[in-house]
Amino acid sequence: MFESLSDRLGGVFDRLTKQGALTEDDVRTAMREVRVALLEADVSLPVARSFTKAVTGKATGAAVTKSVTPGQQVVKIVHDELVKTLEGDEEPGRLKIDNPPAPILMVGLQGGGKTTTTGKIARRLKERDGKKVLMASLDVNRPAAMEQLAILGEQIGVDTLPIVPGQRPVDIAKRAKQQAALGGYDVYFLDTAGRLQIDQVLMDEVQQVRDAVSPRETLLVVDGLTGQVAVEVAQEFDDKVGVSGVVLTRMDGDGRGGAALSMRAVTGKPIRFVGLGEKLDALEEFDARRIAGRILG
Ligand code: GDP
């Protein structure tokens, strides 16, 4: 399918310098290949450009030891830089949920995997951390979405807020807050409504809910296969409601995961988890090394 970066660079460097240090010319040639590899992995063009520029400075003049080829040396430098950019300084899967009951606001476009991811994280908190969790759907326009969350709750043994027809999202949020406090819950999730695209009504609604509960975490759930669109959605949500972390779904697909790099580079938001399938245990903490390896192929 894709040619790996090592293969690409191996070919290029066979024709260039042998041992010693990487020359400016070597690096320039290599960076062209790196840029193509990043673009093929669905990294956005501006990010691929600025990334290769940053790596150029680091790679030029770097010593090439006897045990590796110049191509391998460049791949290592690129890999390390990718990991550094992707990783940031936060612990990926760690949510701020001390001081119970901690509200977690789930936001994103419809179909991105928000409800499924709510169930996945709720399950993880329950099973791994022994937390008492409550989930509430605020999707008043789609009764099916509310039902979906209730069914998920039954599957994973997590309580959901009883559905009261006719309530506004902000009132459901307040009811969830009250219920979470009364019921001794550690965490409560507010699964907000998604739309097919971002609109003002959606943002107003999410802002009202945010102001009513002051979420400890606002997690944006986006489809990792949508590349640049995922990044634009993240910027928009961050501007309007503030995002504390991102979950990239559908990372089980064929894509190379370049959206992760663009997301990090453009928004600066930590990626907390990746979704790896439809099943409720198909969730992993974000692992910068694994994604870096996948981007490089
Ligand atoms: P929402 O509209 O954002 O709440 O999206 P849903 O949670 O209903 O998910 C939409 C579809 O995507 C469902 O069929 C999910 O099973 C599926 N889905 C969610 N996360 C993942 C994932 O990580 N990988 C795959 N392959 N499918 C997923």
Side-chain angles (χ1 to χ4, degrees):
M1 192 175 54
F2 298 110
E3 195 183 357
S4 81
L5 186 63
S6 318
D7 292 347
R8 280 178 186 286
L9 292 178
V12 171
F13 277 103
D14 278 349
R15 285 174 269 123
L16 296 172
T17 327
K18 294 299 168 203
Q19 305 295 330
L22 296 172
T23 67
E24 231 176 289
D25 258 2
D26 292 345
V27 173
R28 197 173 313 119
T29 314
M31 285 311 131
R32 266 202 294 277
E33 300 298 321
V34 171
R35 193 153 53 230
V36 174
L38 292 177
L39 293 175
E40 275 187 357
D42 210 15
V43 173
S44 70
L45 183 59
V47 172
R49 276 212 189 106
S50 60
F51 181 82
T52 44
K53 206 167 149 201
V55 178
T56 302
K58 297 222 157 102
T60 308
V64 180
T65 53
K66 290 246 178 318
S67 55
V68 296
T69 65
Q72 286 165 338
Q73 182 72 6
V74 173
V75 170
K76 183 178 180 315
I77 294 170
V78 172
H79 180 268
D80 290 351
E81 194 61 24
L82 271 177
V83 171
K84 221 172 86 191
T85 310
L86 286 165
E87 190 160 66
D89 7 294
E90 309 212 7
E91 263 182 82
R94 183 155 192 147
L95 299 172
K96 292 189 207 78
I97 48 163
D98 39 342
N99 221 352
I104 301 185
L105 191 61
M106 303 295 289
V107 300
L109 295 183
Q110 189 176 316
K114 194 163 22 66
T115 301
T116 310
T117 304
T118 302
K120 286 177 176 180
I121 302 178
R123 176 183 178 277
R124 182 185 154 101
L125 289 175
K126 177 190 168 224
E127 308 262 312
R128 236 189 61 156
D129 306 323
K131 299 291 182 195
K132 188 174 177 192
V133 183
L134 177 70
M135 306 189 292
S137 171
L138 309 188
D139 199 344
V140 294
N141 298 317
R142 291 195 311 145
M146 294 191 140
E147 281 297 319
Q148 186 192 347
L149 192 70
I151 293 166
L152 276 183
E154 272 169 35
Q155 282 172 0
I156 58 177
V158 165
D159 294 340
T160 48
L161 191 74
I163 298 170
V164 177
Q167 268 197 326
R168 292 180 309 149
V170 65
D171 295 324
I172 303 176
K174 287 177 186 162
R175 188 157 56 88
K177 182 180 178 177
Q178 201 175 29
Q179 175 69 27
L182 288 174
Y185 290 90
D186 297 302
V187 185
Y188 63 103
F189 284 87
L190 300 175
D191 183 16
T192 60
R195 301 273 198 289
L196 292 174
Q197 57 191 41
I198 289 175
D199 61 43
Q200 198 51 44
V201 179
L202 168 67
M203 288 303 176
D204 289 348
E205 197 175 286
V206 180
Q207 278 169 356
Q208 272 185 18
V209 170
R210 176 199 62 192
D211 296 344
V213 302
S214 308
R216 207 66 52 75
E217 295 272 0
T218 300
L219 300 180
L220 171 76
V221 181
V222 274
D223 183 340
L225 294 180
T226 58
Q228 186 55 26
V229 173
V231 176
E232 283 160 19
V233 168
Q235 280 183 298
E236 187 76 18
F237 270 97
D238 192 37
D239 276 358
K240 301 273 161 58
V241 289
V243 165
S244 64
V246 177
V247 182
L248 289 178
T249 62
R250 301 214 173 81
M251 295 295 273
D252 48 309
D254 287 339
R256 293 266 289 270
L261 183 67
S262 308
M263 185 65 77
R264 231 7 264 206
V266 176
T267 68
K269 297 293 161 190
I271 301 166
R272 295 291 180 70
F273 296 101
V274 293
L276 293 169
E278 302 205 3
K279 294 222 182 90
L280 292 166
D281 58 0
L283 181 82
E284 275 182 11
E285 272 179 30
F286 178 68
D287 181 340
R289 289 187 173 278
R290 193 171 305 161
I291 300 286
R294 194 163 148 181
I295 291 175
L296 293 181

